[in-house]
Amino acid sequence: MTWLVVFFLWIKTYLVYKLYFNIRSESIFQELLLFINPLSSTLFLIGISFFFKDKLRKIMIVALSILGTTILYINVLFFRFFNDFLTLPVFFQTSNAQDVQGGITELIKFTDLFLMVDIVLIVYLLTKHSISGMKIYKRPALVVMALSVGIFVLNLGLAQIERPQLLTRSFDRELLVKNIGILNFHVYDAVIQSQTKAQRVFADGSEINEIVHYRREQYKKPDMGFYGSIEGKNIIVLSLESLQDFVINEKVNGKEITPFLNDLIDESLYFENFYHQTAQGKTSDSEFLVDNSLFGRDSGAVFFTHSGNEYQALPEELREKGYYTSVMHANNKSFWNRDLMYQSLGYDQFFDINSYEVTEENSIGWGLKDADFFEQSIDLLKQQPQPYYTKFITLTNHFPFELGEEDRFIDEFNSSSGTVNRYFPTVRYMDYAVEQFFKQMKEEGMYENSVFILYGDHYGISDYHNKAMAMYLGKEEITNFDSIQLQKVPLIIHIPGTDPQTIETVSGQIDLKPTILHLLGINTKENIELGSDLLSPERDSFAVLRDGSFISDDTVYTKGICYDKDSGLETESSQCEPYFERATLDLRYSDQIVFGDLLRFYDR
Ligand code: GP9
Ligand code: MN
């Protein structure tokens, strides 16, 4: 009998995936995962009934089945409204609940009764079934629990094959539900939320004073020549997927990899020692760094774990100054939990995949091709009130670097790593897409009044491909020192009509927020930011990476070793000594702010 109840709930969950959530799979393996993923949690839930006996056991079977169905059904209703899966912070967000309440009757459909069919059947069968013989099955109860855990581990193993680092790296709720199932997803969500809640609960306002003091000491006055120089202009930020600095002004088989960006650099401010500071949160970490001038998390993604925090983010500040703020990115809005985090950061609008026309012809790899993405975005851009701050996030140059033949403008590289080989043509394609975007902006007369900030979000080629990278760079091997140098990403600030400059200052994504604010003539003295203005004459040439490595003008510190920057060779650790404290404090204070949600105690 219990098995039948498990079977019903299992199949019902699968049907809800297909009929209500419209989850589609790209392969049979994915579909198989989707099909088996409700089993472990269903077995666990209904298995609880084995701990009870006689009549109580029957009641528990029905109650647990109703509980499972209710959780499913709340998700169905939530999904109808938000097109997303429920998370705890959202569940307890009263403002959202009010939004939904008004329309709740409209969300319920007559056909939803189908979800009750099995329960009615179970009740009927149970009343017919004699009560006697329903004892406490302690041992079977434990066996069932163990079985469900076993199935879960197997499920997780398969999911890891399908999507490596699923739990630490990928925080797309749809992906999680697809891979581990909806009930397990809720458990996972609860664990993450309670962990972060605890740190927040124990935080109080006193910690922030120390940080405010530190920040005041670090504050760097702006260059008055630049201060306020772009006031009132539209700001366009281009987050360029996986773009590393080593491709700039370089070639493959005699052909430039980034011809457009190379030319653009000749008309822009170009920061040649600018580092990404991201960790597992990848693109989302870079967004967090740029918008908050704070670090993301050491592990996991802050976009996922701390979307409910109080921030004093760039979009919010610009909004207060009359800017319209938005993001354009042709991907699911829940990827990296962007839909929720963007609200916390103060964006007015997120143009996600639903704002774009995505077809098989105009897609490759992760989705809409960059050139089509930019082309379709122009109209969206035009609709916005001015001045605006709009961030574009590109997608084509993403691992595994797939590209259609028609978009391949340069040869692949020739090494043992397919990833490295394919990287160059997709970077070249992204360069082309950006070129088209600038052309269209000019044609539409939208160029002159805009400022363009382009940067690489994070590395595209991991250390795993060091051999092929050494071959490309013409080196014997990639040392730890070289690895750090490879974390440079280009930063180009293009202000039409401004003299070009190549700027050497060692810097990172965390420094962008104060730079942009100062260019707009907005004072940052009272802000809590851990970066500093890239154009300030007082600036320290310095960058800390998320793993504690740091770079100064003459040293690189990584994996416990201090390197001399000129020679790339190991040097005395005393050379790196002066920077240790700064590196540690920057990271520590940033974590304290994020984990303790400390900005809720700070009023500028
Ligand atoms: C997905 C895109 C890529 O929306 O931002 O994410 P990544 O894997 O680079 O973090
Ligand atoms: Mn990315």
Side-chain angles (χ1 to χ4, degrees):
M1 183 67 204
T2 322
W3 305 115
L4 195 66
V5 179
V6 170
F7 180 75
F8 280 151
L9 190 57
W10 169 16
I11 298 305
K12 189 157 71 180
T13 311
Y14 178 70
L15 288 176
V16 166
Y17 287 167
K18 300 305 286 184
L19 301 176
Y20 291 94
F21 299 154
N22 289 321
I23 299 182
R24 271 185 272 276
S25 304
E26 275 137 39
S27 67
I28 295 179
F29 186 59
Q30 265 186 19
E31 192 64 39
L32 184 76
L33 258 175
L34 190 68
F35 180 68
I36 61 163
N37 78 36
L39 180 58
S40 64
S41 51
T42 307
L43 199 58
F44 193 90
L45 184 73
I46 304 297
I48 294 174
S49 67
F50 277 111
F51 288 106
F52 300 87
K53 64 175 179 179
D54 301 336
K55 202 162 175 197
L56 199 56
R57 176 138 172 251
K58 289 187 168 184
I59 294 174
M60 281 310 285
I61 292 181
V62 176
L64 290 166
S65 178
I66 291 178
L67 177 68
T69 304
T70 309
I71 296 173
L72 261 183
Y73 192 53
I74 292 175
N75 270 288
V76 167
L77 293 180
F78 186 80
F79 196 88
R80 278 189 191 140
F81 196 86
F82 291 105
N83 215 343
D84 197 352
F85 300 100
L86 191 62
T87 61
L88 282 178
V90 173
F91 190 68
F92 292 112
Q93 251 170 32
T94 42
S95 57
N96 269 357
Q98 274 157 9
D99 276 356
V100 188
Q101 258 166 31
I104 198 132
T105 42
E106 284 160 45
L107 295 177
I108 296 173
K109 291 185 184 161
F110 183 69
T111 46
D112 295 348
L113 281 177
F114 135 80
L115 292 173
M116 294 291 294
V117 171
D118 65 321
I119 297 177
V120 174
L121 196 69
I122 293 162
V123 172
Y124 171 76
L125 288 175
L126 279 175
T127 42
K128 292 211 85 182
H129 207 79
S130 89
I131 297 177
S132 64
M134 281 207 155
K135 304 190 208 98
I136 293 193
Y137 292 125
K138 269 259 171 66
R139 214 175 289 135
L142 293 176
V143 171
V144 168
M145 296 291 147
L147 188 65
S148 89
V149 172
I151 294 175
F152 176 70
V153 172
L154 185 76
N155 181 168
L156 198 62
L158 292 175
Q160 290 281 348
I161 297 173
E162 174 62 28
R163 182 85 197 174
Q165 300 172 359
L166 178 74
L167 297 186
T168 47
R169 151 115 177 71
S170 182
F171 294 97
D172 182 358
R173 282 185 284 281
E174 186 178 320
L175 267 183
L176 279 168
V177 171
K178 253 182 167 174
N179 286 285
I180 62 170
I182 185 119
L183 285 178
N184 289 327
F185 161 71
H186 287 310
V187 174
Y188 170 78
D189 178 50
V191 172
I192 294 268
Q193 301 303 343
S194 56
Q195 268 177 5
T196 55
K197 274 270 147 45
Q199 300 196 40
R200 187 180 183 275
V201 169
F202 293 115
D204 62 43
S206 64
E207 285 166 84
I208 195 79
N209 297 333
E210 189 183 331
I211 301 175
V212 170
H213 181 74
Y214 177 73
R215 149 75 188 165
R216 293 239 165 101
E217 275 181 353
Q218 300 286 333
Y219 170 76
K220 304 288 182 245
K221 277 204 209 90
D223 175 315
M224 289 323 273
F226 280 113
Y227 192 77
S229 62
I230 65 168
E231 205 182 317
K233 296 208 178 208
N234 296 322
I235 300 177
I236 291 174
V237 172
L238 302 187
S239 165
L240 300 173
E241 180 56 48
S242 302
L243 182 66
Q244 292 179 234
D245 197 69
F246 77 87
V247 296
I248 297 294
N249 284 317
E250 290 299 334
K251 294 179 177 171
V252 165
N253 273 357
K255 286 203 173 148
E256 275 181 291
I257 306 160
T258 56
F260 176 71
L261 293 181
N262 298 345
D263 288 348
L264 188 71
I265 283 171
D266 291 338
E267 302 168 21
S268 311
L269 305 176
Y270 169 57
F271 298 82
E272 59 178 3
N273 288 305
F274 182 77
Y275 290 79
H276 85 81
Q277 294 158 303
T278 65
Q280 289 176 330
K282 303 300 282 291
T283 313
S284 71
D285 277 356
S286 71
E287 295 185 64
F288 189 83
L289 280 147
V290 171
D291 279 347
N292 295 297
S293 195
L294 294 171
F295 288 95
R297 291 170 60 121
D298 180 29
S299 67
V302 62
F303 257 46
F304 186 74
T305 59
H306 291 85
S307 62
N309 270 17
E310 180 67 38
Y311 293 107
Q312 295 173 351
L314 186 57
E316 188 183 324
E317 256 186 82
L318 295 183
R319 187 150 80 172
E320 281 164 19
K321 301 283 174 195
Y323 269 78
Y324 185 80
T325 57
S326 63
V327 179
M328 310 219 175
H329 182 46
N331 198 356
N332 297 341
K333 64 177 187 235
S334 68
F335 201 96
W336 286 129
N337 200 26
R338 283 186 173 107
D339 50 348
L340 296 187
M341 187 51 134
Y342 284 169
Q343 286 177 23
S344 297
L345 298 177
Y347 281 104
D348 288 310
Q349 178 115 28
F350 176 19
F351 296 95
D352 62 22
I353 191 159
N354 293 321
S355 302
Y356 294 87
E357 208 165 300
V358 185
T359 63
E360 207 146 289
E361 289 75 50
N362 67 16
S363 301
I364 189 88
W366 277 54
L368 187 61
K369 297 202 279 187
D370 288 348
D372 297 83
F373 162 63
F374 281 124
E375 195 187 328
Q376 292 186 30
S377 298
I378 295 268
D379 277 338
L380 303 175
L381 208 53
K382 272 196 230 163
Q383 289 165 18
Q384 301 190 133
Q386 298 193 52
Y388 49 73
Y389 166 84
T390 298
K391 169 164 65 186
F392 290 77
I393 305 173
T394 70
L395 206 51
T396 309
N397 188 44
H398 194 290
F399 177 81
F401 309 114
E402 287 174 61
L403 200 65
E405 204 50 57
E406 70 283 6
D407 295 320
R408 191 160 305 159
F409 308 125
I410 58 171
D411 295 338
E412 289 189 356
F413 183 58
N414 190 4
S415 76
S416 57
S417 160
T419 300
V420 171
N421 298 349
R422 289 190 303 275
Y423 180 67
F424 297 98
T426 47
V427 171
R428 175 66 186 85
Y429 170 76
M430 179 165 64
D431 180 85
Y432 157 81
V434 174
E435 178 177 16
Q436 295 306 307
F437 175 62
F438 271 78
K439 264 197 193 135
Q440 282 154 12
M441 288 295 284
K442 283 182 181 165
E443 278 164 19
E444 299 283 347
M446 295 155 80
Y447 165 80
E448 288 296 333
N449 198 32
S450 302
V451 169
F452 300 83
I453 300 171
L454 298 81
Y455 63 85
D457 62 351
H458 48 75
Y459 67 78
I461 306 294
S462 68
D463 287 340
Y464 183 72
H465 304 280
N466 273 351
K467 224 170 151 187
M469 275 306 289
M471 187 175 155
Y472 176 75
L473 296 171
K475 291 183 179 244
E476 293 250 312
E477 57 163 353
I478 302 289
T479 64
N480 287 337
F481 170 81
D482 298 323
S483 281
I484 295 293
Q485 294 305 296
L486 283 171
Q487 305 315 308
K488 281 186 204 172
V489 294
L491 168 64
I492 303 167
I493 300 184
H494 181 73
I495 310 173
T498 297
D499 290 339
Q501 253 188 79
T502 293
I503 297 169
E504 286 178 6
T505 186
V506 175
S507 52
Q509 289 161 333
I510 205 162
D511 299 315
L512 262 170
K513 181 186 175 201
T515 311
I516 296 172
L517 286 172
H518 284 171
L519 281 167
L520 283 164
I522 300 171
N523 191 335
T524 67
K525 212 167 176 179
E526 304 300 321
N527 287 6
I528 306 267
E529 286 158 359
L530 289 163
S532 58
D533 185 348
L534 291 163
L535 299 163
S536 164
E538 298 179 345
R539 200 193 136 73
D540 297 324
S541 193
F542 183 68
V544 192
L545 307 188
R546 180 60 254 200
D547 68 355
S549 300
F550 59 76
I551 306 101
S552 70
D553 271 338
D554 37 48
T555 55
V556 164
Y557 176 83
T558 187
K559 305 215 190 303
I561 293 172
C562 187
Y563 294 88
D564 176 77
K565 220 169 161 185
D566 283 334
S567 65
L569 298 174
E570 205 173 321
T571 180
E572 328 243 292
S573 72
S574 60
Q575 300 285 321
C576 288
E577 194 61 45
Y579 307 102
F580 276 123
E581 192 182 68
R582 163 90 191 270
T584 317
L585 287 182
D586 277 6
L587 289 169
R588 185 193 302 156
Y589 285 145
S590 181
D591 285 346
Q592 274 182 26
I593 292 171
V594 172
F595 293 131
D597 190 7
L598 295 185
L599 293 177
R600 71 197 145 125
F601 301 116
Y602 184 70
D603 257 337
R604 263 170 294 162

